[in-house]
Amino acid sequence: MKVTNVAICLVSLAASVSAFTTAPFLPRQQAQAVSISQHASASASALRMAEDETKSASEGAVKEFKSHQSEIRGKDRSETIDVTMKFGGSSLANADRIHHVTQLIKDQIALGYRPRAVICSAMGKTTNSLLSAGDFALEGRVNIDAIKTLHTAAFDEFDIAKNVREEVMALLNECEDMLNGVRLIQELSPKSLDQLVSYGERCSVRIVAARLNQIGVPAQAFDSWDIGMLTDSNFGDAKLLPDSEEIIKNKFMNRMDPDVVAVVTGFIGKDPNGKITTLGRGGSDLSATAIGAACQLDEIQVWKDVDGILSADPRLVKNAVPVDDVSYDEASELAYFGAQVLHPIAMQPAMKHDVPVRVKNSYNPSAVGTLIKKRDGPAPRLVTAITCKRNIQLLDIESTQMLGAYGFLANVFKDLEEERLSVDVLASSEVSVSLTLDKKQNPESTEAAVEKLSKYSNVKVRQDRAILTLITDVERSSECLATAFRVFDQRDIKIEMMSQGASKVNISFVLKNDQIEDAIIQLHSCFFEDSCIV
């Protein structure tokens, strides 16, 4: 095991953003458009069941609301709480889920919340299906029937007004025309791809707004650029322009009725030339936090399919428990090292303006969820959560130069930067450095970097490794590490590298992939279940 005298975590090279932006642009020909049609119909009886479930959840939510309402920015319990609410594709998978979400919004309003903006992703797997449709168009085939079926099923279930139906169908027809253009010219540029995937969200917000109006909640659909989401021209991974914050604030404060819910598209924007862009991974969350922070609302709510942030991945640890609250730094570290939380980039606006973010469960709205906020003082527990990142590469780089020769680390990071490689975890001494690289990065770039590094150092590459990260207060690191290493020794788990993060809220270990699950399960038992093996 290597525990060095300088430990740096989350080293971000100039091109590291690329590691975060490959999703959702995964290989797309494997995506099957038929997956959408599986969710296309929602029966009237299912809607009635959803109404009953939502009503029951609402009654439980009354108690939860009263218990934490007064905590939000010091407001009196009788005051209205202004929020943004974000719902992902799984929460809007079909007509049944849209009904559930819109009823949830209505119930939250009855509890005293005022949603200034509701940010919506595309319905279900529509974005992936659009990406797949783009690939099929390049092969000479154009067919978005499954996408149309999903949306028309919602029209029919809700008996959507003719003008909204025509508006959505016009967007889908425009999408089909664009795909026919791709088929003819045999080209799908990043700019065109951003426009293609935009159609899903632009359709979903119009259906959600129409349904809200039907159930008595005044609402209006907006494309994000209409409320000030302006970006640069980096298609596929655009960044919000600094001017956006003031524009968003002015739109909401001066031009929009606070009692009308603005239903806004998620991860899209427009550049200064009026071209549609996408914000990359975490874009929908970023839209929610950008609006909430610009308007300095009381709370930003991100609705997912779990009861907030959990102590570990529930697919692996059956006794994973919700975490009541975490700091901004803890949430960022959790997201970086694999937990399904807000993306670190999405956290930045909230951190800047100190607007709390609450992660809640759209399937269980009565659950309190997890509050992400600024924390003064030590964490209330030894370990907040355990997460991991699998399938990484470990590079051990040892200088062949004399001890004390300067420039070694500078050369290492220069070579990595030239190959646009992002480092996850790093531990360093004067003449050696160990670091991890995500296996999803370009293998050719990794090979080229190793070749460059080998000119002045001995490089050993170890594949099939994993990073296990404890989100903890490093002021109590000795206590945490004592338990962790007793567990590792008892289970014969070999630690090949350790790093205590510069953020002061994480300790990371590098070990073999085939030992990561056992390590997490045993550590969770010790830190959260009072059934430690040591």
Side-chain angles (χ1 to χ4, degrees):
M1 185 190 70
K2 193 172 295 183
V3 182
T4 55
N5 60 349
V6 178
I8 307 170
C9 198
L10 299 177
V11 175
S12 180
L13 302 179
S16 66
V17 174
S18 63
F20 294 104
T21 58
T22 57
F25 302 106
L26 303 173
R28 299 181 292 277
Q29 291 184 358
Q30 304 300 319
Q32 298 296 321
V34 293
S35 65
I36 271 192
S37 63
Q38 295 172 353
H39 304 285
S41 62
S43 67
S45 60
L47 281 180
R48 288 193 294 271
M49 290 175 63
E51 289 173 351
D52 294 339
E53 291 171 1
T54 305
K55 180 179 179 182
S56 175
S58 175
E59 292 170 353
V62 172
K63 182 177 179 181
E64 171 266 322
F65 171 77
K66 291 180 178 178
S67 70
H68 80 263
Q69 183 182 24
S70 60
E71 299 175 6
I72 302 175
R73 301 175 77 82
K75 282 204 169 188
D76 182 83
R77 291 188 180 184
S78 63
E79 293 186 48
T80 297
I81 297 175
D82 287 331
V83 299
T84 59
M85 305 172 74
K86 181 261 178 177
F87 295 93
S90 63
S91 295
L92 304 168
N94 50 40
D96 179 40
R97 293 304 306 163
I98 289 176
H99 170 77
H100 178 88
V101 164
T102 52
Q103 189 63 48
L104 183 156
I105 293 169
K106 184 176 182 179
D107 292 340
Q108 294 295 302
I109 293 172
L111 290 171
Y113 293 101
R114 182 168 62 177
R116 296 300 311 275
V118 171
I119 291 83
C120 295
S121 297
M123 291 179 64
K125 301 294 185 180
T126 299
T127 298
N128 286 340
S129 293
L130 286 167
L131 291 168
S132 179
D135 283 341
F136 285 130
L138 290 172
E139 297 174 358
R141 292 175 289 166
V142 173
N143 188 324
I144 60 168
D145 289 350
I147 298 174
K148 287 184 175 180
T149 298
L150 179 67
H151 292 81
T152 54
F155 297 155
D156 296 338
E157 194 68 55
F158 300 140
D159 192 21
I160 293 291
K162 181 181 178 182
N163 64 311
V164 177
R165 182 187 293 259
E166 290 176 347
E167 189 175 358
V168 172
M169 290 309 299
L171 286 169
L172 292 174
N173 290 334
E174 182 181 309
C175 173
E176 193 167 31
D177 290 342
M178 179 185 174
L179 287 168
N180 277 311
V182 171
R183 177 179 60 83
L184 291 172
I185 66 174
Q186 289 295 290
E187 183 180 347
L188 185 59
S189 66
K191 180 171 70 174
S192 298
L193 193 62
D194 279 3
Q195 179 174 336
L196 175 63
V197 297
S198 76
Y199 289 107
E201 291 189 347
R202 293 160 72 188
C203 290
S204 71
V205 296
R206 285 158 173 81
I207 295 173
V208 171
R211 182 57 180 163
L212 283 169
N213 282 309
Q214 279 186 336
I215 64 174
V217 178
Q220 182 177 349
F222 289 92
D223 294 323
S224 61
W225 47 83
D226 291 329
I227 55 95
M229 298 288 286
L230 303 180
T231 75
D232 59 24
S233 300
N234 186 18
F235 298 102
D237 184 30
K239 300 293 181 293
L240 288 178
L241 296 177
D243 292 345
S244 286
E245 183 176 309
E246 192 63 29
I247 296 172
I248 292 170
K249 181 179 179 180
N250 287 335
K251 292 269 189 180
F252 275 90
M253 296 298 106
N254 301 322
R255 298 182 58 185
M256 298 175 70
D257 186 338
D259 293 318
V260 174
V261 178
V263 185
V264 184
T265 55
F267 80 131
I268 58 177
K270 274 189 176 178
D271 71 2
N273 298 316
K275 302 300 181 183
I276 295 174
T277 59
T278 59
L279 298 172
R281 186 178 177 187
S284 295
D285 291 342
L286 176 59
S287 296
T289 58
I291 294 171
C295 300
Q296 297 191 36
L297 304 183
D298 298 307
E299 189 172 273
I300 297 162
Q301 296 181 352
V302 178
W303 293 79
K304 296 183 176 289
D305 55 4
V306 292
D307 291 340
I309 297 173
L310 302 181
S311 56
D313 187 340
R315 295 170 296 183
L316 174 60
V317 181
K318 64 180 181 180
N319 294 325
V321 295
V323 180
D324 292 336
D325 65 87
V326 299
S327 68
Y328 293 119
D329 286 337
E330 288 173 333
S332 294
E333 297 288 295
L334 276 166
Y336 189 90
F337 285 103
Q340 299 298 312
V341 198
L342 273 74
H343 193 277
I345 294 176
M347 209 79 67
Q348 293 174 1
M351 294 174 66
K352 177 182 176 182
H353 292 284
D354 192 20
V355 178
V357 179
R358 189 176 294 275
V359 182
K360 288 180 67 69
N361 189 350
S362 65
Y363 292 83
N364 182 23
S366 63
V368 176
T370 300
L371 190 64
I372 304 171
K373 62 181 180 179
K374 182 179 180 181
R375 178 188 294 141
D376 296 319
R381 56 206 157 249
L382 178 58
V383 174
T384 298
I386 305 171
T387 187
C388 71
K389 199 171 187 179
R390 304 171 191 258
N391 298 318
I392 58 100
Q393 301 172 88
L394 175 62
L395 271 63
D396 291 325
I397 307 166
E398 184 175 356
S399 173
T400 56
Q401 301 174 20
M402 294 178 59
L403 184 67
Y406 66 88
F408 170 61
L409 287 178
N411 289 331
V412 168
F413 291 115
K414 177 176 177 292
D415 290 339
L416 294 173
E417 181 180 1
E418 287 177 352
E419 297 302 327
R420 301 178 66 83
L421 293 173
S422 172
V423 174
D424 289 322
V425 176
L426 179 144
S428 167
S429 70
E430 192 170 8
V431 294
S432 68
V433 58
S434 293
L435 53 86
T436 63
L437 300 175
D438 194 316
K439 200 171 183 178
K440 293 178 181 178
Q441 298 183 102
N442 189 343
E444 294 180 358
S445 297
T446 303
E447 292 175 5
V450 169
E451 184 177 347
K452 291 180 180 179
L453 294 167
S454 298
K455 294 178 181 178
Y456 53 86
S457 60
N458 297 318
V459 184
K460 183 177 181 180
V461 181
R462 286 181 271 184
Q463 306 284 355
D464 301 319
R465 284 347 188 227
I467 302 170
L468 188 158
T469 299
L470 300 177
I471 304 301
T472 182
D473 182 355
V474 296
E475 295 295 327
R476 301 173 65 187
S477 61
S478 296
E479 183 182 354
C480 180
L481 289 171
T483 300
F485 279 111
R486 286 200 299 269
V487 169
F488 296 149
D489 180 61
Q490 180 74 20
R491 304 296 294 181
D492 195 27
I493 295 171
K494 306 301 182 185
I495 302 301
E496 300 180 8
M497 179 180 132
M498 189 190 89
S499 177
Q500 183 168 296
S503 66
K504 307 304 181 187
V505 298
N506 89 73
I507 300 173
S508 293
F509 308 92
V510 176
L511 58 156
K512 292 181 179 178
N513 267 341
D514 58 11
Q515 293 185 312
I516 188 68
E517 292 190 3
D518 184 42
I520 292 175
I521 290 170
Q522 298 303 329
L523 289 174
H524 192 275
S525 295
C526 290
F527 291 122
F528 295 95
E529 301 175 41
D530 296 325
S531 58
C532 194
I533 62 171
V534 296

